[in-house]
Amino acid sequence: EKKAMLTALVDTGNTLTAPATNRPVMVAEGEKLAALFPVDIAPDPATLADPVSALERMAVGPLRGRCRLLPYRAVGVECGMLLALRLDGAKVGTEDYGKLLLALSPTPLTDGGGYSALIGT
């Protein structure tokens, strides 16, 4: 019943997938998603920088069963973790991705601010 609208980039170089389903994972700037969370547990960059503690805090109450840790690798990061939220549905343009994982980035995804979410193909 909650929604957030972001500008997303379809990134052909993004290979992040959910380990259990092998489906693409959307990555978004955590701060931009406050509307999806109860006010008292909306993520901020400091919280998302420690995803294990964030999971412990958010995995109770209304988000129980929706949060998990997602391993990833990137340039300069051999083995990192992101807090991820299971969504009931997501659309990028006219493409309906259905239920998927949304990984919450503690940092901006771009210097210029042209987009605040990305998803692989």
Side-chain angles (χ1 to χ4, degrees):
E1 55 204 53
K2 295 186 178 202
K3 294 181 181 183
M5 292 191 62
L6 304 172
T7 301
L9 171 72
V10 177
D11 181 1
T12 58
N14 175 7
T15 59
L16 185 62
T17 57
T21 63
N22 205 34
R23 293 194 59 221
V25 172
M26 182 177 289
V27 180
E29 296 173 13
E31 278 188 295
K32 307 273 183 175
L33 299 167
L36 297 179
F37 296 89
V39 176
D40 56 332
I41 60 171
D44 59 33
T47 301
L48 294 174
D50 183 2
V52 174
S53 294
L55 176 66
E56 290 172 350
R57 188 172 139 233
M58 293 183 177
V60 295
L63 296 178
R64 180 179 223 158
R66 288 190 175 268
C67 297
R68 61 202 53 168
L69 292 175
L70 184 69
Y72 76 97
R73 285 189 301 179
V75 175
V77 180
E78 187 173 325
C79 183
M81 295 291 234
L82 292 170
L83 180 67
L85 179 67
R86 184 178 47 82
L87 299 179
D88 290 329
K91 281 184 164 185
V92 177
T94 59
E95 181 81 21
D96 187 349
Y97 285 88
K99 294 181 178 185
L100 58 72
L101 283 179
L102 174 68
L104 307 175
S105 173
T107 59
L109 299 178
T110 177
D111 290 343
Y115 56 90
S116 53
L118 56 89
I119 190 163
T121 55

